Amino acid sequence: MKYPEVRNYVAGNFVKGEHEYLDVYNPSDGSVISRVPLSSRDDVDRAVQVAQAAFPAWSTMPIKERVQVFFRYRALLERDIEELTALVTEENGKVYAEAKAEILKSMELTEFACSLPQIASGEVLEVSRGVECRIERFPLGVVASIAPFNFPAMVPLWFLPFAVATGNPIIVKPSEQVPLSQQVIFRLLEKCDLPPGVVSLVNGGREVVEGICDHPEIQAVSFVGSTPVARAVWRRATQAGKRVQALGGAKNFVVVMPDADWDRSIAVITESFYGCAGERCLAGSVLVPVGEAHREARDRMVESAKALKVGDGMESGVEMGPVISARHREKVLGYIEKGVDEGAKLVVDGRKTSVAGHEKGFFLGPTLFDDVKPSMAIGHEEIFGPVAAITPVQSLAEAIEVMHAHPNANATSIFTSSGKSAREFARLASASMVGVNIGVAAPMAYFPFGGAKDSFFGDLKVHGRDAYEFYTDKKVVISRWF
Ligand code: NAD
């Protein structure tokens, strides 16, 4: 095994866990590729102690010097992009091109962190003759981030560069299902001249998360995962007096108007639903064709879903990898059964898909249901797998109503050649990331990322200027010199 055992990273050292371990799998063949420690509250506490000790010196270093770390770090990410990409594919299952896009996004996030001095350059106003009012920003203290399984490299980097560049030591808790990418990322960070304690890694599951939420010396928590856990983390950590941003699950509606440019749109729509095997919080989940777009939407989706090549993400030509685990595969299969039982029309059935030479992999083929009602489980609940639902409606207004009735509001898209429909849709959408002829409405690093309603708990979103706001507090200094 290349990575026989996952380590925590505390006080500038990789340290062995002393607790129970969980196996880590390669979803493409079901083999065990490592084991991860389920750390304890005491491990969280140890990381907090060293992070706190690092805080005074790190937080008072000028931001221009702090961001130098990320210039070095970005160069290392670029140098090791192939190794990191392969590792993301190995532990998560997504195909090589998708994994590479994840590392490129991580580089983009790092670049934006390098530019933070621009945002931090301040606000000052002469409020009356000789009297000046100045906003000063200061870091919060020790902060923490908690990640889901679907972006093992990138999601922790939604937070770490911004927290650290603004002067806050951070404790990272990766998903216990995909802890390997962060091992490599921390090895690279180790080469960037960070003082011990500024970045820490504590692996594990629920106990670590609860330890983070309850720890009195952690000032802010960034969580990404499913809605029930996001809500619980947000409640628990805000109760403990922390600043919290908690990103939850999604059920994303993709509306197709009869005037859509089908030839150019279909590949984009198919990728939205089945890319990363549907395990993306921005993935299309329900296709909502308006009026006569229904038949075309269904026929084209059937054709394109059936044509997708499923397999090991390391093999060239493969377009869709496995889902994350045997357990998740069972859960997604359960949804397909429910869809059939509830009377939706199964028009593409991925249940029997298997990949030669990878019989133990956690594969499922693209699956498509037509005539799905919003009240059905597959029309309502987050499946987080390669199962698409078609819910036909008669008008754009009805499509928007269907979206509004759903408690999640992460991302949504419209496919149309009408500027009027696109503008109306963007204005009325409940989701806060909106794509127009774009299947995965992912904001770039310089824009805020995050949903609304039950897809987001908190105020300030992820990256963009919000990251700077989230990781700093402000003072107003009013001064007059006689
Ligand atoms: P998850 O909620 O099961 O786990 C997320 C994190 O919480 C993990 O680190 C896990 O160890 C921890 N955790 C799990 N159960 C817990 C509990 N009971 N108490 C405390 N901590 C717990 O999510 P997942 O399955 O890893 O990831 C998939 C989910 O993440 C999907 O719902 C997806 O929509 C969501 N997601 C959302 C976004 C977004 O931007 N909104 C981005 C990526 C993923």
Side-chain angles (χ1 to χ4, degrees):
M1 269 191 263
K2 202 164 164 201
Y3 300 97
E5 195 172 287
V6 170
R7 301 277 163 105
N8 291 340
Y9 185 79
V10 181
N13 296 301
F14 282 94
V15 292
K16 206 171 147 55
E18 286 161 10
H19 307 280
E20 203 189 323
Y21 278 75
L22 266 188
D23 286 339
V24 179
Y25 294 90
N26 176 339
S28 284
D29 60 13
S31 63
V32 174
I33 51 173
S34 189
R35 49 184 216 136
V36 58
L38 293 177
S39 306
S40 66
R41 279 174 179 267
D42 289 345
D43 294 316
V44 174
D45 187 52
R46 269 190 285 279
V48 174
Q49 300 306 327
V50 294
Q52 263 198 304
F55 180 60
W58 186 250
S59 59
T60 49
M61 184 187 274
I63 188 167
K64 179 176 168 289
E65 288 172 40
R66 285 195 302 253
V67 299
Q68 296 309 314
V69 166
F70 295 102
F71 283 98
R72 291 190 279 274
Y73 176 61
R74 190 223 174 264
L76 295 176
L77 283 177
E78 187 170 30
R79 186 195 71 185
D80 292 352
I81 189 165
E82 303 299 333
E83 184 197 344
L84 265 163
T85 300
L87 188 55
V88 167
T89 293
E90 189 179 359
E91 66 173 342
N92 171 275
K94 66 179 69 172
V95 305
Y96 195 82
E98 293 166 342
K100 193 160 189 175
E102 175 169 351
I103 308 304
L104 289 169
K105 194 79 185 172
S106 305
M107 285 161 57
E108 178 191 307
L109 290 156
T110 310
E111 286 157 17
F112 179 54
C114 291
S115 75
L116 277 179
Q118 167 75 43
I119 290 181
S121 57
E123 292 149 275
V124 58
L125 183 71
E126 186 180 54
V127 286
S128 58
R129 179 113 6 124
V131 179
E132 175 192 281
C133 214
R134 187 174 75 239
I135 294 179
E136 283 187 9
R137 291 274 177 170
F138 52 96
L140 308 176
V142 180
V143 302
S145 77
I146 300 156
F149 76 79
N150 61 330
F151 283 89
M154 183 194 75
V155 166
L157 295 175
W158 274 355
F159 310 106
L160 185 146
F162 308 109
V164 170
T166 50
N168 306 278
I170 189 167
I171 296 168
V172 175
K173 206 289 286 175
S175 162
E176 64 276 39
Q177 297 189 86
V178 290
L180 297 176
S181 301
Q182 290 304 311
Q183 295 286 290
V184 173
I185 280 175
F186 270 72
R187 287 210 186 283
L188 298 183
L189 283 168
E190 206 179 20
K191 297 192 171 86
C192 295
D193 304 329
L194 277 162
V198 174
V199 295
S200 310
L201 186 61
V202 181
N203 287 282
R206 184 174 182 157
E207 185 172 342
V208 173
V209 174
E210 292 182 349
I212 287 171
C213 292
D214 298 343
H215 201 293
E217 302 305 337
I218 293 180
Q219 308 301 328
V221 176
S222 302
F223 173 90
V224 185
S226 57
T227 289
V229 185
R231 186 188 278 114
V233 163
W234 179 75
R235 284 199 177 130
R236 191 162 179 147
T238 49
Q239 196 80 36
K242 300 180 199 324
R243 188 177 281 197
V244 185
Q245 48 185 191
L247 284 75
K251 190 81 179 171
N252 300 322
F253 296 88
V254 175
V255 176
V256 193
M257 301 298 286
D259 62 7
D261 179 340
W262 277 102
D263 289 337
R264 292 199 222 180
S265 305
I266 189 65
V268 179
I269 294 174
T270 306
E271 205 280 324
S272 170
F273 283 83
Y274 299 117
C276 296
E279 295 171 330
R280 268 191 301 209
C281 68
L282 299 178
S285 184
V286 182
L287 187 66
V288 189
V290 173
E292 63 202 34
H294 182 195
R295 178 197 294 246
E296 183 117 28
R298 182 193 53 223
D299 294 352
R300 287 193 183 238
M301 276 290 275
V302 167
E303 195 184 329
S304 62
K306 282 185 173 163
L308 283 175
K309 186 169 179 208
V310 179
D312 179 343
M314 289 304 288
E315 285 171 18
S316 77
V318 168
E319 294 164 296
M320 196 179 99
V323 298
I324 187 67
S325 64
R327 206 172 91 196
H328 191 55
R329 186 174 179 278
E330 285 309 306
K331 185 175 165 193
V332 178
L333 279 170
Y335 274 112
I336 301 175
E337 303 298 332
K338 265 194 212 163
V340 172
D341 291 348
E342 289 185 330
K345 269 189 220 142
L346 183 58
V347 289
V348 181
D349 184 353
R351 287 177 291 185
K352 297 255 160 56
T353 298
S354 73
V355 176
H358 293 263
E359 284 73 15
K360 294 203 172 133
F362 312 137
F363 290 101
L364 271 172
T367 297
L368 180 64
F369 280 99
D370 193 14
D371 287 338
V372 175
K373 301 208 165 32
S375 57
M376 295 176 180
I378 55 166
H380 189 72
E381 294 175 25
E382 183 181 36
I383 302 174
F384 221 55
V387 179
I390 300 177
T391 297
V393 296
Q394 287 315 312
S395 63
L396 179 57
E398 192 186 343
I400 292 168
E401 250 171 58
V402 168
M403 182 198 320
H404 275 260
H406 199 278
N408 286 116
N410 209 41
T412 188
S413 297
I414 187 168
F415 285 80
T416 180
S417 45
S418 153
K420 178 175 180 288
S421 302
R423 201 164 72 170
E424 189 175 327
F425 179 79
R427 194 166 48 82
L428 296 174
S430 52
S432 35
M433 292 176 277
V434 181
V436 176
N437 298 318
I438 297 277
V440 176
M444 301 286 283
Y446 354 103
F447 290 91
F449 185 114
K453 294 169 72 181
D454 283 359
S455 294
F456 183 78
F457 303 91
D459 300 302
L460 292 164
K461 297 196 171 167
V462 171
H463 58 67
R465 192 187 161 89
D466 279 25
Y468 177 67
E469 302 271 343
F470 185 79
Y471 287 120
T472 55
D473 210 341
K474 42 188 181 283
K475 251 178 220 172
V476 178
V477 180
I478 306 154
S479 53
R480 171 195 289 145
W481 292 94
F482 296 112

